[in-house]
Amino acid sequence: MPVRPALTTALCAAALLCAAPGPAAAAPGESITVDPTGKVAEDGTVTLSGTYRCTRAAGPVFITSSISQSRLDTRRSIGSSQALCDGAEHRWENTGKAPSNSVKPGKANVEATLMELRLTKGLPLPFFHAAQRQDVALSKG
C-alpha cells in the first residue's frame, strides 16, 4: 500500500477514535480556517483549502479534512497534508478522491482539523491544535 493513503487512513482513524464530542479549542494564536468554496472534478476528486496557524509542536502536525453532503452523519476523508508550526499563517490544500457520485457540486459541510501526533508513553497519540467546521460551495473543477 502506498505511504500517503496509509498515512491518511491512519490519521483519520486516530482522529475518529480520539475526537472529543465538541470542537477542539485552539490554543492562543492557533487556528484553522476553511475557504468558502471547494472543487469537485468529474472523476470525484475533491479539493479543499484554507489557512492555519500553530505553535510549539513536539511531533508531526497534519491538516486533515473531511466532507459531507445531504447526510451530516456520513463524512468522507479528503486527504491530509503536513503543517509547519512556526507561529506564521500558512495556506493548506487537501485533495482526495471520493467514491463515485458520493460528492457533487453544490452545498457541502467541511471539517478541517489541525492535529499533532505526540509521543505519550511511547505511543503516538493525537493532540488537537484547532478544528473548524463550516458549509462550503463546491463547484465543478
Side-chain angles (χ1 to χ4, degrees), residues 3 22 25 29-31 35 39 48 54 56 62 71-72 82-83 89-90 97 99 116 129 137 141:
V3 174
E30 296 190 325
S31 63
D35 289 341
K39 294 183 180 177
L48 304 170
C54 57
R56 299 187 322 219
F62 299 93
R71 289 188 49 157
L72 293 179
Q82 194 157 5
E89 185 174 88
H90 299 279
K97 193 167 181 179
E116 176 182 353
H129 286 263

Coordinates of all heavy atoms in Angstrom, one line a residue, residues 3 22 25 29-31 35 39 48 54 56 62 71-72 82-83 89-90 97 99 116 129 137 141:
V3 N 2.4 4.9 0.8 CA 2.5 5.5 2.1 C 1.5 6.6 2.4 O 0.8 6.6 3.4 CB 3.9 6.1 2.3 CG1 4.0 6.9 3.6 CG2 5.0 5.0 2.3
G22 N -17.1 17.8 21.3 CA -17.2 19.1 20.8 C -16.0 19.5 19.9 O -15.1 18.7 19.8
A25 N -10.7 23.2 21.0 CA -10.4 24.6 21.4 C -9.0 24.9 21.0 O -8.0 24.2 21.5 CB -10.6 24.8 22.9
G29 N -3.4 32.0 19.7 CA -2.6 32.1 18.5 C -2.7 31.0 17.5 O -2.0 31.0 16.5
E30 N -3.5 29.9 17.8 CA -3.6 28.8 16.9 C -5.0 28.8 16.2 O -6.0 29.1 16.9 CB -3.4 27.5 17.6 CG -1.9 27.4 18.1 CD -1.6 26.0 18.6 OE1 -2.5 25.3 19.2 OE2 -0.5 25.6 18.4
S31 N -5.1 28.5 14.9 CA -6.4 28.5 14.3 C -6.3 27.7 13.0 O -5.2 27.4 12.5 CB -6.8 29.9 13.9 OG -5.8 30.5 13.0
D35 N -11.8 27.6 3.4 CA -12.2 28.5 2.3 C -13.7 28.3 2.0 O -14.2 27.1 2.1 CB -11.4 28.4 1.1 CG -10.0 28.9 1.2 OD1 -9.8 29.7 2.2 OD2 -9.1 28.6 0.4
K39 N -13.7 22.5 -4.8 CA -13.9 22.0 -6.2 C -14.1 20.5 -6.2 O -13.5 19.8 -5.3 CB -12.7 22.3 -7.1 CG -12.6 23.8 -7.3 CD -11.4 24.1 -8.2 CE -11.3 25.6 -8.4 NZ -10.2 26.0 -9.3
L48 N -10.0 20.9 -1.3 CA -10.4 21.8 -0.2 C -9.2 22.6 0.2 O -8.1 22.1 0.1 CB -11.0 21.0 1.0 CG -12.2 20.1 0.7 CD1 -12.5 19.2 1.9 CD2 -13.4 20.9 0.3
C54 N -0.2 27.5 13.8 CA 0.0 26.7 15.0 C 1.5 27.0 15.5 O 2.3 27.5 14.8 CB -0.2 25.2 14.8 SG 0.9 24.5 13.5
R56 N 4.5 25.7 18.8 CA 5.0 24.7 19.7 C 4.6 23.3 19.6 O 3.9 22.7 20.4 CB 4.7 25.2 21.1 CG 5.3 26.5 21.5 CD 5.0 26.9 22.9 NE 3.7 26.5 23.4 CZ 3.0 27.2 24.2 NH1 3.4 28.3 24.6 NH2 1.8 26.8 24.6
F62 N -0.5 17.5 11.3 CA -1.2 17.3 10.0 C -2.5 18.1 9.9 O -3.2 18.3 11.0 CB -1.5 15.8 9.8 CG -0.3 15.0 9.8 CD1 0.2 14.4 11.0 CD2 0.4 14.8 8.6 CE1 1.4 13.6 11.0 CE2 1.6 14.0 8.6 CZ 2.1 13.4 9.8
R71 N -26.3 13.9 4.1 CA -26.3 13.3 5.4 C -25.1 13.7 6.2 O -24.0 13.3 5.9 CB -26.2 11.7 5.2 CG -27.5 11.1 4.6 CD -27.4 9.7 4.7 NE -27.0 9.2 6.0 CZ -27.2 8.0 6.5 NH1 -27.8 7.1 5.8 NH2 -26.8 7.7 7.7
L72 N -25.4 14.5 7.2 CA -24.3 15.0 8.0 C -23.6 13.9 8.9 O -22.5 14.1 9.4 CB -24.7 16.2 8.9 CG -25.1 17.4 8.2 CD1 -25.6 18.5 9.1 CD2 -24.0 17.9 7.3
Q82 N 0.9 17.9 5.7 CA 1.7 18.2 6.9 C 1.7 19.7 7.1 O 1.8 20.5 6.1 CB 3.1 17.7 6.7 CG 3.8 17.6 8.1 CD 5.0 16.6 8.1 OE1 5.3 16.0 7.1 NE2 5.5 16.5 9.3
A83 N 1.7 20.1 8.4 CA 1.7 21.5 8.7 C 3.1 21.9 9.3 O 3.8 21.1 9.8 CB 0.6 21.8 9.8
E89 N 1.0 32.4 9.7 CA -0.2 31.9 9.0 C 0.3 31.2 7.6 O 1.1 31.8 6.9 CB -1.2 33.0 8.7 CG -2.5 32.4 8.1 CD -3.5 33.5 8.0 OE1 -3.5 34.2 6.9 OE2 -4.3 33.6 8.9
H90 N -0.2 30.0 7.4 CA 0.1 29.3 6.1 C -1.2 28.9 5.4 O -2.2 28.7 6.1 CB 0.9 28.1 6.4 CG 2.2 28.3 7.1 ND1 3.4 28.7 6.4 CD2 2.6 28.3 8.4 CE1 4.4 28.9 7.2 NE2 3.9 28.6 8.5
K97 N -9.9 11.7 -3.6 CA -10.9 11.1 -4.5 C -12.0 10.5 -3.6 O -11.8 9.5 -2.9 CB -10.4 10.2 -5.5 CG -11.3 9.8 -6.6 CD -10.6 9.2 -7.7 CE -11.5 8.9 -8.8 NZ -10.9 8.2 -10.0
P99 N -15.6 8.3 -3.3 CA -16.3 7.2 -4.1 C -17.2 7.8 -5.1 O -17.8 8.9 -5.0 CB -17.0 6.4 -3.0 CG -16.3 6.7 -1.8 CD -15.8 8.1 -1.9
E116 N -1.7 17.1 15.9 CA -0.4 16.7 16.1 C -0.3 15.2 16.7 O -1.2 14.8 17.4 CB 0.3 17.6 17.2 CG 1.7 17.3 17.6 CD 2.2 18.2 18.6 OE1 1.6 19.2 19.0 OE2 3.3 17.9 19.1
H129 N -4.8 20.8 17.9 CA -4.5 22.2 18.0 C -5.7 23.1 17.7 O -5.9 24.1 18.3 CB -3.3 22.6 17.1 CG -2.0 22.0 17.6 ND1 -1.1 22.8 18.3 CD2 -1.4 20.8 17.4 CE1 -0.1 22.1 18.6 NE2 -0.2 20.9 18.1
A137 N -19.4 25.9 -0.7 CA -20.0 25.7 -2.0 C -19.0 25.0 -2.9 O -17.9 25.5 -3.1 CB -20.4 27.0 -2.7
G141 N -14.7 21.4 -11.1 CA -13.3 21.9 -11.3 C -12.3 20.9 -11.7 O -12.2 19.8 -11.5

